[in-house]
Amino acid sequence: MNFRHLTAVFTVLCLCTADGWCSENARVMDELNSPLTPNPLKSAIGEALYNEAIASGEYRYTGNDKCRLCHRDFFIGRKHDQHDHSMDYISSGEFKNNPRCLVCHSTGYGTPSGFVLLEKTPRLSNVQCEGCHGPGSNHIKVASLKKTGGGLLAGEDNPERLKKMCKVCHTSRWNRSYNDFESAYSKYKKAVPK
Amino acid sequence: MIEFWKRYNITIVLFTLVFSLSGLSFYNYLIQKNLLLEQMRNDAQDTAGSIIAAMNRFHDIKSTMKVQKLVSDISLGLEIFEFRYIEPDGVIRNSMFKEEIGTVYQGKSFQETRTGTIPMGKFFFETRDFVPVMSIYYPIRMDDQLIGIVDLCVDISEYKILLSPAQTDFLLMRRQVDILNLLKSIEGSVHNSVEITSKTDFHNFLKKYVETANNIIQISLVDQQHRIIMSNEGSIIGKRVDRTYVSSTEIFEMNGRPTYRIVMPDINMNGSKKKEQLILLLDAGSYVKNEHRILRTALLTSAMAILFALFIARIIYYSAIESSRKETERLEQLVKERTQAIEFLSKTDALTGLWNRGYLEEMMELEFKRSRRYHKDMAIMVIDLDYFKKINDTYGHLGGDEVLRRVGKSLLSGLRETDFIGRYGGEEIVVILSETRAEKAFELANKICSDIASEPIEFGDAVIWVTVSIGVSALRPEHTTYEEIFSEADDALYASKNNGRNRVGLYSHS
């Protein structure tokens, strides 16, 4: 391999990177010019139920440290999941306080007791368990009384709501990490308590 | 086989009856005994179960007094990443993760505290479950003795993301002060609970339990090395027991009274992984009493069956003997009668009913010998029917037979009881007259002669006049055989015949 070849490879790599950055940048620009992404929980369960649940005071975000008390294996497994690193994409840049981004890169943003700012609520950064299942305080209360669990606004017992939760953020713009929603959804194993 | 059955059927039936009844009563005894044993074992198991539950509850109370509530409060209420209460030997007594309670803690940093790499009571940084944490192993001591270790760590991931190193150090220091305050309060709480626990003596608890129960003699808890680690009897705590003592459930004699021992193996007391055994000694007096009672009943039933069978056997035996005796007697009588009849027939003459010639000769010899020995008189009379051939010719043989029969009858009625009358042959009849002199014999002969001559014999429509000739002779000293007398009488008979018949001839020796 001579110098000319190396130069050709370098050029190709630069072009690809630039193309990727350009397209990523285009998606971000597109997102910034689009209507605000709605609150995922409110969209999934409907406004009436959302208002009733929040008003009751029973549904509060606890952070996944509390989930770990019973679902420890799932907690450890999630450390390899991109959801658990979603804040990394925005935390160092200009968008770290942008509501358009935070709504999908944190847990419970826009909901009372949910994520507010990295400085105020660092424990609710990233998309944690409650990011998809809704506030967990009521689940802890219910599961401590009966082994069957339950008590979540978007639990595994209601897959339709759960799928709606996914689809609020994973729009056609932000679905590059998967091709088929159903097969991606089915990859998530049940969080059997240990 | 059939013969054997016929011969021994009653014996076989009786034996079968006895064996069946004995077998049944023994089987019944076994069933009842097993039932009693089963009942006692169930009762004992129930008792043991309640004791174990009570003991566990006792431990629970102790554990709860230690850190259970703290764990629950801390893990859910505070921003604590991990919290454990570890015993000095490494067994996790309590943890925010329920599944690891009772196991030996395997954390890497904990192992390092044991080797001294990480000092106890100091904060250090590590990663647990991919999360950066600040940890401390806080020792809890009482009277300079380590009684437990609190493992506590907090999540510090946000410090690293948000703050500069100087800010982080400052905030972490403040956090450490807070955590130490929390640990101090935990230490105080553990001290209090240990003091309360020490006042609640387990030995006293068991002692009270045995005192209130009416049939429990002893409760002991034995470890895997067969050492008694707890008992209601303080004196045996710490002693070793035999392997066989803990491996079997049995009834044995202890201090002169029957005792039932039940061993509950593999008891997991206090959530610990160590397997212990609960040995329960129960008073088995009532069981032994009842068992003896049912054994006595079974033996009595068997004995009664045997006696009953013997009684029936005896009745059957006696009735068989009696019927056999009666049958023998009957047969003997029959044989006797038959023998007599045969004997009589062998000695008599079928036509006239008089004695026959054989017997007559026998008796003549006997009478002759007897008379000679005792110097008694004896006479012999020979009677012959006159013209008997003519009678036969005239009236046929039936007529002759009838004449002979009637003459025989006439002689029997006319002579004395002691006279012996026999048919010598043809129309000749001989009479032996014992103890009779010649004169008397002659007189009798004449009477016979005249009696027969005077009585005609009827045969059908005919009347036959019959006469007889008689020869008489008597014993004299010179006679050596009876034939001599007989011969003389015969001679006298011929003389009578020659003298015209129908007369008596007396032999004259001169």
Side-chain angles (χ1 to χ4, degrees):
Chain A
M1 191 179 280
N2 54 28
F3 181 74
R4 199 190 298 170
H5 285 128
L6 280 173
T7 310
V9 169
F10 179 74
T11 311
V12 168
L13 277 173
C14 282
L15 282 171
C16 288
T17 313
D19 178 57
W21 183 81
C22 289
S23 63
E24 189 66 35
N25 197 37
R27 285 205 297 174
V28 172
M29 293 309 290
D30 195 19
E31 179 65 45
L32 291 174
N33 293 322
S34 301
L36 189 68
T37 306
N39 182 321
L41 184 64
K42 199 187 279 183
S43 306
I45 67 172
E47 195 163 355
L49 181 56
Y50 174 84
N51 290 336
E52 189 188 334
I54 299 303
S56 72
E58 293 290 323
Y59 294 89
R60 281 170 286 102
Y61 288 92
T62 64
N64 59 5
D65 279 8
K66 300 291 175 274
C67 306
R68 176 175 170 265
L69 292 172
C70 298
H71 307 278
R72 196 176 173 191
D73 281 355
F74 198 77
F75 175 87
I76 295 168
R78 261 184 57 84
K79 290 295 168 187
H80 300 294
D81 185 342
Q82 288 302 305
H83 285 96
D84 216 46
H85 303 279
S86 57
M87 195 58 111
D88 296 352
Y89 293 95
I90 57 168
S91 59
S92 57
E94 56 183 305
F95 305 117
K96 73 172 187 178
N97 293 332
N98 191 325
R100 286 180 180 279
C101 306
L102 287 174
V103 71
C104 286
H105 284 258
S106 71
T107 301
Y109 181 79
T111 304
S113 82
F115 184 86
V116 182
L117 283 173
L118 197 54
E119 289 76 9
K120 283 188 179 174
T121 52
R123 294 293 172 80
L124 291 174
S125 58
N126 302 318
V127 181
Q128 300 179 4
C129 313
E130 291 164 304
C132 298
H133 294 292
S137 62
N138 191 50
H139 168 64
I140 292 173
K141 193 175 165 186
V142 172
S144 64
L145 297 174
K146 52 179 186 177
K147 285 181 180 176
T148 50
L152 288 163
L153 288 172
E156 61 162 338
D157 53 337
N158 201 335
E160 290 311 311
R161 276 190 197 169
L162 207 45
K163 284 176 184 174
K164 275 186 195 169
M165 288 286 274
C166 302
K167 285 174 177 170
V168 173
C169 290
H170 291 279
T171 56
S172 57
R173 191 181 304 129
W174 298 110
N175 66 352
R176 207 166 59 171
S177 57
Y178 63 88
N179 297 316
D180 178 11
F181 176 77
E182 289 299 331
S183 66
Y185 176 82
S186 65
K187 275 181 190 166
Y188 278 82
K189 288 178 184 170
K190 279 189 176 181
V192 180
K194 184 189 175 185
Chain B
M1 188 67 195
I2 293 167
E3 280 302 311
F4 181 81
W5 168 250
K6 274 184 181 169
R7 191 165 175 186
Y8 295 111
N9 56 355
I10 292 169
T11 319
I12 291 167
V13 166
L14 283 176
F15 264 97
T16 314
L17 192 73
V18 170
F19 277 118
S20 308
L21 277 173
S22 302
L24 268 176
S25 73
F26 186 66
Y27 179 66
N28 186 39
Y29 158 71
L30 281 183
I31 286 178
Q32 291 205 30
K33 187 188 166 187
N34 283 340
L35 269 176
L36 276 179
L37 204 61
E38 188 72 21
Q39 195 182 346
M40 190 167 71
R41 189 162 53 231
N42 287 342
D43 288 352
Q45 277 174 346
D46 288 350
T47 310
S50 70
I51 290 170
I52 291 165
M55 284 164 108
N56 273 328
R57 182 74 191 122
F58 193 86
H59 276 294
D60 285 349
I61 291 164
K62 282 166 73 179
S63 306
T64 309
M65 281 193 293
K66 280 184 182 169
V67 282
Q68 183 62 57
K69 194 165 184 324
L70 273 175
V71 170
S72 165
D73 289 351
I74 287 167
S75 57
L76 283 168
L78 301 177
E79 289 294 329
I80 301 289
F81 194 67
E82 282 186 15
F83 180 89
R84 290 181 184 85
Y85 183 81
I86 307 165
E87 292 194 335
D89 59 359
V91 175
I92 300 169
R93 168 63 61 215
N94 244 308
S95 167
M96 58 163 53
F97 305 111
K98 288 192 178 66
E99 70 274 8
E100 62 180 28
I101 294 172
T103 61
V104 175
Y105 185 41
Q106 302 293 343
K108 186 168 166 264
S109 56
F110 182 68
Q111 302 303 326
E112 286 174 4
T113 60
R114 309 202 98 185
T115 58
T117 316
I118 296 173
M120 272 208 259
K122 300 278 180 197
F123 285 97
F124 63 97
F125 298 96
E126 61 177 330
T127 302
R128 292 192 186 184
D129 292 353
F130 300 98
V131 176
V133 292
M134 180 169 71
S135 314
I136 184 168
Y137 289 104
Y138 188 81
I140 294 180
R141 291 193 169 85
M142 206 168 178
D143 302 330
D144 288 337
Q145 197 185 346
L146 186 70
I147 58 165
I149 302 158
V150 175
D151 167 28
L152 198 147
C153 67
V154 290
D155 183 352
I156 54 163
S157 51
E158 70 267 27
Y159 295 84
K160 296 199 168 180
I161 300 167
L162 300 170
L163 305 169
S164 66
Q167 285 175 311
T168 305
D169 288 348
F170 174 70
L171 284 173
L172 283 178
M173 221 158 67
R174 283 191 61 182
R175 195 82 199 270
Q176 283 175 5
V177 172
D178 291 344
I179 291 169
L180 277 174
N181 284 337
L182 174 67
L183 286 167
K184 293 258 184 233
S185 73
I186 290 171
E187 188 177 19
S189 170
V190 171
H191 278 178
N192 278 341
S193 61
V194 167
E195 274 171 15
I196 293 164
T197 308
S198 64
K199 284 177 191 165
T200 322
D201 189 78
F202 201 27
H203 161 65
N204 276 338
F205 163 72
L206 288 181
K207 205 171 162 186
K208 287 267 163 30
Y209 199 102
V210 171
E211 277 169 11
T212 49
N214 52 10
N215 65 336
I216 301 175
I217 299 170
Q218 194 187 89
I219 305 168
S220 308
L221 204 60
V222 178
D223 68 6
Q224 282 168 317
Q225 284 74 42
H226 306 131
R227 199 162 50 87
I228 297 173
I229 51 173
M230 191 48 69
S231 174
N232 65 307
E233 285 182 30
S235 59
I236 62 166
I237 295 172
K239 288 185 178 170
R240 280 183 184 278
V241 291
D242 285 346
R243 184 182 291 273
T244 49
Y245 189 79
V246 292
S247 60
S248 62
T249 292
E250 61 167 6
I251 296 171
F252 67 107
E253 191 94 356
M254 194 179 81
N255 300 334
R257 65 175 179 178
T259 307
Y260 180 67
R261 182 178 65 235
I262 184 162
V263 181
M264 302 293 282
D266 300 340
I267 295 165
N268 203 347
M269 293 296 269
N270 195 18
S272 138
K273 289 267 170 171
K274 289 178 186 170
K275 298 288 183 190
E276 289 157 354
Q277 286 170 309
L278 182 83
I279 299 177
L280 201 61
L281 301 186
L282 298 171
D283 184 7
S286 64
Y287 163 77
V288 171
K289 208 167 80 183
N290 283 329
E291 197 243 316
H292 284 176
R293 195 181 292 159
I294 57 172
L295 179 65
R296 274 203 300 276
T297 312
L299 288 175
L300 199 67
T301 314
S302 299
M304 278 178 73
I306 291 167
L307 284 175
F308 182 65
L310 283 175
F311 180 67
I312 289 175
R314 202 154 181 81
I315 288 172
I316 291 170
Y317 174 74
Y318 273 121
S319 66
I321 291 279
E322 185 63 19
S323 70
S324 166
R325 194 181 62 78
K326 279 184 179 165
E327 183 63 16
T328 311
E329 267 182 11
R330 195 183 69 80
L331 285 174
E332 277 176 359
Q333 185 63 30
L334 199 64
V335 167
K336 200 174 161 186
E337 283 170 8
R338 292 274 164 86
T339 311
Q340 278 177 349
I342 290 163
E343 206 177 333
F344 184 74
L345 283 174
S346 71
K347 287 176 183 173
T348 52
D349 175 53
L351 180 66
T352 56
L354 302 176
W355 300 112
N356 63 17
R357 179 174 172 164
Y359 192 50
L360 185 69
E361 284 176 342
E362 202 180 304
M363 289 308 290
M364 274 197 290
E365 186 173 9
L366 186 72
E367 191 58 32
F368 171 77
K369 284 177 179 168
R370 196 181 65 80
S371 301
R372 218 168 57 140
R373 177 178 166 82
Y374 299 111
H375 306 289
K376 300 283 183 190
D377 293 316
M378 172 203 171
I380 287 174
M381 195 188 284
V382 181
I383 303 164
D384 193 81
L385 265 69
D386 296 333
Y387 304 114
F388 187 66
K389 194 175 179 310
K390 201 171 160 184
I391 293 167
N392 270 341
D393 293 345
T394 313
Y395 302 104
H397 285 290
L398 288 175
D401 288 349
E402 180 61 23
V403 168
L404 276 172
R405 211 166 12 244
R406 293 290 293 272
V407 168
K409 211 172 178 180
S410 170
L411 285 173
L412 279 172
S413 61
L415 281 168
R416 301 167 302 184
E417 270 187 356
T418 52
D419 298 335
F420 190 90
I421 309 160
R423 188 180 170 198
Y424 193 75
E427 67 274 21
E428 211 166 53
I429 294 166
V430 174
V431 180
I432 304 165
L433 306 146
S434 54
E435 295 191 29
T436 309
R437 284 180 287 116
E439 294 78 21
K440 181 65 184 173
F442 183 71
E443 189 187 321
L444 278 169
N446 276 321
K447 187 176 175 284
I448 289 164
C449 202
S450 60
D451 282 354
I452 290 170
S454 62
E455 280 183 31
I457 291 161
E458 291 172 5
F459 176 69
D461 297 335
V463 176
I464 308 166
W465 291 92
V466 181
T467 60
V468 294
S469 301
I470 301 172
V472 177
S473 178
L475 174 68
R476 293 192 307 281
E478 60 267 27
H479 286 145
T480 55
T481 62
Y482 78 91
E483 282 97 344
E484 289 173 7
I485 310 173
F486 183 79
S487 178
E488 287 171 5
D490 207 35
D491 290 348
L493 172 67
Y494 274 95
S496 307
K497 290 269 185 189
N498 292 334
N499 290 337
R501 294 184 171 84
N502 194 21
R503 66 188 64 238
V504 178
L506 177 65
Y507 180 78
S508 169
H509 60 281
S510 52

